[in-house]
Structures are given as C-alpha cells and as structure tokens.
Amino acid sequence: MSCRFFIIILKPNKCNFMVNFKELVALRRSHRKFLPDTVSSEDVRHILRAALMSPTSKNRRSWQFVVVDDKEKLSELSEAKDSGAQLISDAPLAVVVVGEKNDNDCWVEDCSIAAITMQYQAEELGLGSCWVQMHGRTLADGTDTEEVIRGILGLPADVGVLCVVAIGHPADERKPQNEEKLKWESVHENEWGADDKAED
C-alpha cells in the first residue's frame, strides 16, 4: 500500500502583518507617489476580480472598467482636469471606473462601491492606490472632464465616468489610521442628535 505525502506551500502575503479586515481598513491610505515597477498581471486580475464581485443595485452590474497601463494615455488622463489628477501620470496602472447611465440610475453608487473594493484589494496585495474624482469636474475653460476622458479612451456617450483609481507600488509611507482621531460624534443612535438630547 503506497502512501502519498503532500507538502502545501503557502505563498506569503506581501503584507504579512495584515491578517484581517479590521487591520486592512486601518492600513488603507491614499498613495500619490509610486515606484516605476509594473503591477503584475496576477495582481491586476485580483483587483478586477474584487471589482466584479462588488455589490450593485438589483445585481445589475452595469459598470465597466478600463485598465490603462499605456504611459501616453496615463499622461493624458492626468490632464483631464486642472488639479488633483497629476499623480496618474506617475502610476504604472490606472483603472477608469465607468457606469452605464441609461441602464442604472444608481450607477454612481455602484461604481463607488467597486472603486473602493478595488482599493482594499490593492492594499491587501501590498499595493498603493488613490481615487481620482472625475465625475462632476471640468477644465478651466469649462470642458467636462468626462468628455475629455471619453475622447482619450473612445468611450461611448451613454456611459458616465466616475473616477480613475491609480494603482502601483507605493513610493511613500503612510501611517495607519489613528484610532484616537475617529469622529465617533458623527455616529447617531436612532435619530439625529439623540445623544445631545440625552445630555440635556
């Protein structure tokens, strides 16, 4: 009778100190400086997998994700609005999050959930990310930022552009969220200002 022995080798997480979601939410910070290293195709797939699994209104899943790693297009995206987008040009990867406006009146909300889900997944993989808002923004001359991005990426007119999530290996260090600075006063029980009334 033959016996087989299996050795299971667990691939270590890039962030060995990260063991649960409680720690993950404290560690996720916005990174605006990235190393030139590319993001592996495996990591990109994990990040997109997380986005595709994110919850949506009525399970419509009416979002789309445009993955951009072309340096010229990243540079163009960084100039889609007057300020706050320059960091995209230094990122090795960006995911443009768009929603099918005619199919879902909750496209902004659904795209927002997908975007932050990608950011948490990126953090778990040891990558940095930054949300760059595009919806509702313009250039100085009044040109709609979403129209600029449609032109860069060839997007159809019936999709709305919510944001660009810049992703890469962080070149800056950010400390975890400070528990002592959490605004617990923003949490209300049962009704607005109920705690204040109780103190009167």
Side-chain angles (χ1 to χ4, degrees), residues 102-182:
N102 296 338
D103 184 60
N104 186 357
D105 63 349
C106 293
W107 73 271
V108 169
E109 292 83 354
D110 289 353
C111 286
S112 298
I113 295 168
I116 190 61
T117 301
M118 284 193 290
Q119 289 192 272
Y120 281 128
Q121 180 61 83
E123 185 69 37
E124 197 272 336
L125 292 168
L127 298 167
S129 68
C130 187
W131 173 311
V132 181
Q133 180 69 15
M134 296 299 184
H135 179 61
R137 300 295 184 263
T138 62
L139 291 170
D141 63 3
T143 304
D144 192 312
T145 291
E146 293 186 59
E147 289 300 326
V148 176
I149 295 176
R150 283 193 188 94
I152 295 170
L153 302 177
L155 301 176
D158 62 345
V159 300
V161 182
L162 177 70
C163 67
V164 175
V165 179
I167 301 169
H169 299 272
D172 56 342
E173 291 188 15
R174 299 292 308 276
K175 293 181 179 179
Q177 294 273 2
N178 186 341
E179 291 276 349
E180 296 179 0
K181 291 186 177 181
L182 296 182

Side-chain angles (χ1 to χ4, degrees), residues 11 13 16 19 29 62 77 144 151 168 173 196:
K11 182 180 179 182
N13 190 299
N16 293 324
V19 294
R29 306 298 303 274
S62 48
L77 288 172
D144 192 312
E173 291 188 15
D196 295 335

